[in-house]
Amino acid sequence: MSRGKKQIHLAAHFPGVNSTTVWADPRSGSQIDFSSFEHLARTAERGLFDFFFLAEGLRLREHAGRIHDLDVVGRPESITVLNALAAVTERLGLAATVNATFNEPYELARRLASLDHLSAGRAAWNVVTSSDAFTGENFRRGGYLDRADRYTRAAEFLATARELWDSWTPEGEQRPFAHSGPQFRIGARSPYRALRRGIRWSSRPGTPARGGSSRPPPPT
Amino acid sequence: MIFTRHSTPEAGREFYADVKGRLARYGREPGDLKIMPGVTYVLGDTDADAQERAAEVRRQQVSPQNAILALEQVWGRDLSGYDPDGPLPDLDPDPDSALVQGRVRVADPVGVARKWRALSEAKGLSIRQTVIESTSRQSFVGSPATVAAALEEHVATDAADGFILVPHLTPGGLDDFVDRVVPLLQERGVFRTEYAGTTLRSHLGLPESVWKAGTP
């Protein structure tokens, strides 16, 4: 490797549920079997990629009242798949898209910290939001957030998750945790000291993220 | 990390400079944040071969049925009676349509429809050909050497730090890239030949610990 040349970072996205994916090719295999995820992840690791990246689908999309033709029925949930991939890869980063409009910060901080722990420091979170009432019908007691509020919630969601992960000092001392804000009021001792190693990231608005969209928060 | 849209090198450089330029205000170095657009690619033995394959992939992605689906997403109307190989509908999109649920809404359906009509008229394209032209451009098409050079150029000129590859086939869609393009990037000295560490932070060249004292 010659020094001085700017190095390229490579990652791979599992083929999505949009028109990029070719279904008609005879080589096109299952979109939901673990073997498909495993093959792509192992190939990415063989290619020394930084990470493998999964999108999120929270509700099957509909077209004229029927399930959209390009959607995948039975697609397994992303963090669960990444936990399984952690066992069959050794170095590859494992990135999950997870929505901050739905979910709760303590619960999600815990699931991501668990992935980071099981994979020994390979977890990443692609933070997205959704203002889609159709998707919201599956969550929040049927409610959803308008465009401005979803970023307010996402920002506090993110801050709360970070506070939870940082409530352990690097020396291994666990400090009491309490968060009180307009969106969340949580008092807990976090059992997880992980995700100090994990990566938080975000998608740019307009990036095809199906049903969810996002904007880069100010770097923290 | 920012996952962004792939665009022209000029637009990429503008976005890159803008975002990286904001980092100092937050006490961060330019290298602390990586910008990686999602990209597609089609490889061939020669550039001409790759172009031919790319056209075939576009035809597979936009089947006659998918062309009508894409059209209906913009128009918000039932257009199942239209011939995918015929002209675009004369009527305007319904901006308040609830035909499509759970997909990112087309921001300006009337504007998109106008653009598609203009394209179709200018080039004499059918519905399906118009959808192919408008929605299915691959980011990098060429021989492995051409693609490797283009990727290097994009990163060297600060249009990106790297790429999130979106293969179009499951599960074999990455095989050819890893077998044929990665070795060329390594020869060029712009891609690692082994992992330096075990964590994602180490792959991205970020410090291992980001503990922030006193946040709670």
Side-chain angles (χ1 to χ4, degrees):
Chain A
M1 184 167 90
S2 58
R3 296 208 166 267
K5 273 193 174 180
K6 189 178 168 196
Q7 296 296 298
I8 295 178
H9 291 273
L10 290 176
H13 192 295
F14 190 81
V17 290
N18 49 39
S19 57
T20 309
T21 303
V22 168
W23 300 81
D25 192 291
R27 294 166 296 170
S28 173
S30 169
Q31 304 283 327
I32 62 172
D33 287 355
F34 182 66
S35 60
S36 290
F37 292 97
E38 183 180 13
H39 181 90
L40 275 154
R42 281 185 189 270
T43 308
E45 186 164 74
R46 182 160 64 82
L48 306 172
F49 283 25
D50 287 2
F51 60 88
F52 184 63
F53 173 29
L54 296 181
E56 179 181 52
L58 295 175
R59 178 165 180 182
L60 288 170
R61 300 166 300 170
E62 291 181 11
H63 190 102
R66 300 180 54 210
I67 293 173
H68 181 48
D69 271 358
L70 297 177
D71 224 324
V72 173
V73 176
R75 189 162 57 142
E77 187 276 320
S78 299
I79 297 181
T80 309
V81 173
L82 295 177
N83 280 320
L85 289 176
V88 296
T89 54
E90 289 178 0
R91 304 288 185 104
L92 188 67
L94 304 165
T97 303
V98 190
N99 202 298
T101 300
F102 316 120
N103 298 300
E104 290 295 319
Y106 184 86
E107 171 61 12
L108 185 58
R110 175 175 178 246
R111 292 172 62 210
L112 287 166
S114 298
L115 172 63
D116 200 54
H117 174 71
L118 293 174
S119 66
R122 297 190 277 140
W125 174 20
N126 175 29
V127 186
V128 296
T129 66
S130 175
S131 64
D132 181 0
F134 176 79
T135 305
E137 283 174 6
N138 280 351
F139 299 93
R140 296 179 60 83
R141 302 175 191 88
Y144 68 104
L145 296 173
D146 71 32
R147 203 176 169 80
D149 288 347
R150 66 184 155 129
Y151 291 122
T152 311
R153 186 182 201 268
E156 192 174 327
F157 192 116
L158 216 67
T160 310
R162 292 181 63 99
E163 289 164 18
L164 276 162
W165 292 324
D166 285 343
S167 66
W168 282 81
T169 69
E171 291 73 39
E173 183 201 342
Q174 203 270 324
R175 302 180 310 160
F177 168 87
H179 174 97
S180 184
Q183 303 286 332
F184 308 109
R185 215 166 48 232
I186 300 167
R189 278 185 185 272
S190 170
Y192 299 97
R193 46 187 303 194
L195 228 92
R196 299 207 316 269
R197 294 177 295 196
I199 308 286
R200 172 181 66 75
W201 60 324
S202 92
S203 306
R204 186 182 176 189
T207 304
R210 65 155 317 223
S213 80
S214 49
R215 69 173 182 188
T220 50
Chain B
M1 263 279 340
I2 293 182
F3 168 40
T4 181
R5 223 177 337 190
H6 180 66
S7 49
T8 61
E10 295 73 31
R13 279 195 286 274
E14 195 182 316
F15 178 71
Y16 189 97
D18 175 22
V19 175
K20 297 263 180 172
R22 299 186 208 177
L23 290 172
R25 261 184 276 158
Y26 301 92
R28 297 173 71 184
E29 302 290 325
D32 290 349
L33 179 89
K34 299 289 186 278
I35 295 175
M36 297 174 71
V39 300
T40 57
Y41 62 91
V42 179
L43 300 175
D45 290 336
T46 62
D47 288 349
D49 177 36
Q51 291 294 349
E52 231 171 82
R53 280 171 191 238
E56 177 56 25
V57 168
R58 288 200 293 271
R59 280 192 292 274
Q60 286 181 321
Q61 286 167 331
V62 185
S63 64
Q65 192 186 358
N66 287 350
I68 296 296
L69 279 181
L71 198 70
E72 287 180 338
Q73 202 201 349
V74 174
W75 261 258
R77 296 178 186 277
D78 176 5
L79 303 171
S80 51
Y82 282 78
D83 177 6
D85 296 321
L88 270 67
D90 278 332
L91 66 175
D92 281 327
D94 170 6
D96 305 314
S97 169
L99 184 83
V100 174
Q101 292 287 358
R103 303 184 68 184
V104 177
R105 211 168 267 280
V106 176
D108 172 21
V110 176
V112 173
R114 195 179 302 132
K115 242 171 72 183
W116 284 18
R117 260 200 215 105
L119 177 72
S120 153
E121 278 160 24
K123 294 193 177 177
L125 303 180
S126 68
I127 288 174
R128 186 178 174 203
Q129 288 166 328
T130 304
V131 175
I132 288 173
E133 278 288 302
S134 308
T135 65
S136 292
R137 285 273 147 224
Q138 292 99 346
S139 320
F140 294 95
V141 178
S143 67
T146 299
V147 169
L151 295 174
E152 183 186 353
E153 169 78 10
H154 242 75
V155 170
T157 60
D158 285 345
D161 290 309
F163 307 93
I164 297 179
L165 303 176
V166 186
H168 49 251
L169 274 182
T170 305
L174 269 187
D175 297 355
D176 53 351
F177 187 93
V178 166
D179 291 332
R180 303 179 72 187
V181 180
V182 166
L184 297 179
L185 295 174
Q186 290 168 329
E187 274 172 32
R188 288 167 166 269
V190 293
F191 190 67
R192 65 171 67 94
T193 52
E194 57 184 2
Y195 283 116
T198 59
T199 66
L200 176 53
R201 285 193 164 271
S202 72
H203 307 335
L204 289 167
L206 301 172
E208 284 299 310
S209 177
V210 289
W211 188 73
K212 297 247 169 64
T215 31

